[in-house]
Amino acid sequence: LDVHHRFSDAVRLRWLERGTAEYYAALAAHDRGRHLLTFADGNETLQLGSLGSLHYAVVAVGTPSVTFLVALDTGSHLFWLPCDCRQCAPNVEFDIYSPNKSSSSESVNCNNNLCQSECSAASHCPYQVAYATADTSSSGILVEDVLYLTTEDEVIKAPITFGCGIVQTGAFLETAAPNGLFGLGMDKISVPSLLASAGLTSDSFSMCFGRDGIGRIRFGDKGSSDQDETPFHVNPTYNISIAGITVGNSINASFSVFVDSGSSFTSLADPAYTRLSEIFNAQAQDERDPNIPFEYCYNISPSKTKIEIPDINFTMESGSQFPVTNPVVLIYNEQQEYAYCLAVVKSHRFNIIAQNFMTGLHIVFDREKLVLGWKKFNCEVEDSIPLPINPRNSPPMATVGPSSYSPEA
């Protein structure tokens, strides 16, 4: 039940005659009050095969501002940056955050309501976050500083709390997020939560990944009236329920999945993985190649000018169809022989809709309505030809979320 003051914009719009100049002036004013925010350096995201095939964005933090290339992760909550490092990614020429070099930086004490560690009230709040990839974690202390965002007409210095990541382990020392991770989860410490609680924007954001590896992210975006939706089962990740799979034929299936941009390739546990892959294999029209890391891969004949890829759709709990516009990955070897693979990994733990299955869709994480929204969309900045991202012998892959907090650093 929504409650509005009788002189509020929402009620005023109902009084005005639709189509009048006054109506549209009030509507425009109402829209301007719900800022759509993007990063000050642009809302562009970029998929980087050399860094785990995740999507990255440039963010500016601190005074004076310092820029960082951070991985976008809906599977975790905390935004952290490499900071006064004792152990960070080696031999990487990126900036490092230091609280002593930012005049707007403040420490977060243990009595702060965002501190989830047990420590004495006057001391700095430590954090440690463990991720799904084996032995991958970030630890340090929480700090406060400003994140630079922009609307269409102004730059906003948004106060945020984030992790000063002193020690990183596992994948963070190799290919995934060497310059920081931008947690977009539902916990109160995530940046979307902090922006909404400060009244800077609606509690919602969108992501759109193009086939050319370029995408967009917007805070405050609640999507469109014609998008499809399905409810979240908050726990507190973006968890949704799938009621069936269609690969030409319908497959009875009932399981829950995380929607996780911090994973390179979609992963499914049995029986969903076997049902999906075997039906895909039965419909594939090319010769299967068992010598490639993905389980279901097919050689492309040099004389072939078109590849017939079976359509894949997920039927959501709401009954809406979630179309998978990019179910395969194109790979090649040193002889420039091409093959394609069903880009799904067999999992023994989590079911994950990763960033590759989000490609070609405008995805809305509406945390007010607790729904996931989607719509087919041309997310690309300009028309381009998709390029192979993986060598045949070693597909780069990262899975950093879902994550969990530890009470001690």
Side-chain angles (χ1 to χ4, degrees):
L1 178 65
D2 291 332
V3 179
H4 300 282
H5 189 277
R6 64 191 177 118
F7 296 119
S8 68
D9 287 337
V11 173
R12 229 177 112 233
L13 284 170
R14 295 175 189 155
W15 292 350
L16 301 175
E17 182 180 350
R18 185 180 296 272
T20 63
E22 188 180 3
Y23 173 87
Y24 286 113
L27 186 63
H30 179 60
D31 288 343
R32 284 195 296 271
R34 300 170 62 244
H35 287 307
L36 287 179
L37 299 178
T38 62
F39 296 126
D41 284 82
N43 67 338
E44 183 174 293
T45 70
L46 184 65
Q47 184 185 28
L48 298 175
S50 61
L51 296 179
S53 293
L54 303 178
H55 271 262
Y56 290 79
V58 176
V59 301
V61 175
T63 307
S65 65
V66 179
T67 57
F68 301 87
L69 184 69
V70 295
L72 302 173
D73 183 19
T74 60
S76 65
H77 311 290
L78 183 69
F79 169 33
W80 62 261
L81 297 172
C83 169
D84 291 346
C85 292
R86 292 204 303 265
Q87 181 172 290
C88 296
N91 305 319
V92 178
E93 296 182 0
F94 289 122
D95 284 317
I96 302 296
Y97 178 83
S98 178
N100 295 331
K101 295 181 180 179
S102 173
S103 62
S104 51
S105 178
E106 296 182 10
S107 61
V108 174
N109 294 329
C110 292
N111 57 1
N112 189 296
N113 65 352
L114 292 177
C115 182
Q116 300 186 15
S117 301
E118 295 181 4
C119 51
S120 59
S123 62
H124 291 180
C125 176
Y127 80 87
Q128 180 172 2
V129 188
Y131 296 83
T133 300
D135 302 319
T136 296
S137 66
S138 175
S139 60
I141 60 172
L142 296 184
V143 296
E144 295 177 349
D145 212 326
V146 293
L147 171 68
Y148 292 84
L149 301 169
T150 182
T151 65
E152 290 184 356
D153 53 5
E154 64 177 324
V155 174
I156 295 174
K157 295 182 180 180
I160 56 165
T161 299
F162 63 97
C164 169
I166 300 170
V167 175
Q168 273 64 251
T169 66
F172 296 140
L173 300 179
E174 300 167 359
T175 59
N179 199 215
L181 189 76
F182 202 88
L184 291 160
M186 284 192 173
D187 193 89
K188 61 184 178 181
I189 201 169
S190 75
V191 172
S193 298
L194 295 173
L195 296 179
S197 64
L200 293 174
T201 190
S202 299
D203 194 7
S204 183
F205 68 93
S206 68
M207 306 176 83
C208 198
F209 301 148
R211 287 179 177 271
D212 59 356
I214 299 175
R216 291 285 184 264
I217 179 170
R218 289 184 175 88
F219 301 99
D221 186 1
K222 296 179 71 66
S224 58
S225 59
D226 59 345
Q227 69 185 10
D228 290 300
E229 295 180 345
T230 199
F232 286 127
H233 302 289
V234 184
N235 65 346
T237 57
Y238 301 112
N239 184 274
I240 59 177
S241 293
I242 290 179
I245 307 174
T246 301
V247 191
N249 301 318
S250 296
I251 307 170
N252 290 327
S254 180
F255 57 96
S256 62
V257 296
F258 299 110
V259 184
D260 180 18
S261 66
S263 293
S264 304
F265 300 114
T266 294
S267 59
L268 298 175
D270 274 335
Y273 172 81
T274 297
R275 290 177 179 173
L276 170 62
S277 55
E278 287 184 349
I279 294 180
F280 182 92
N281 181 59
Q283 297 184 37
Q285 299 180 14
D286 299 284
E287 180 184 359
R288 187 174 171 188
D289 187 337
N291 299 314
I292 305 177
F294 286 100
E295 186 173 4
Y296 289 89
C297 296
Y298 308 88
N299 290 318
I300 302 174
S301 170
S303 61
K304 201 159 194 176
T305 60
K306 185 178 181 181
I307 307 172
E308 298 292 338
I309 304 295
D311 291 331
I312 297 177
N313 291 277
F314 289 135
T315 301
M316 297 301 184
E317 177 186 13
S318 63
S320 297
Q321 297 295 307
F322 184 95
V324 179
T325 66
N326 193 37
V328 301
V329 61
L330 187 65
I331 64 176
Y332 60 92
N333 61 13
E334 294 178 354
Q335 288 73 41
Q336 297 297 303
E337 297 171 333
Y338 287 86
Y340 64 92
C341 300
L342 175 62
V344 180
V345 179
K346 187 174 183 178
S347 170
H348 299 289
R349 297 180 62 192
F350 303 114
N351 294 308
I352 293 174
I353 291 180
Q355 58 86 19
N356 67 319
F357 274 25
M358 297 165 64
T359 299
L361 300 174
H362 180 239
I363 304 284
V364 176
F365 297 80
D366 193 327
R367 299 136 55 93
E368 292 180 350
K369 291 173 57 180
L370 291 179
V371 297
L372 179 77
W374 66 91
K375 179 182 178 181
K376 281 189 177 181
F377 202 79
N378 180 12
C379 309
E380 299 159 11
V381 175
E382 57 186 5
D383 293 336
S384 62
I385 300 173
L387 298 177
I389 62 170
N390 298 332
R392 177 179 289 252
N393 59 355
S394 179
M397 176 177 171
T399 301
V400 296
S403 68
S404 61
Y405 273 99
S406 173
E408 298 179 358

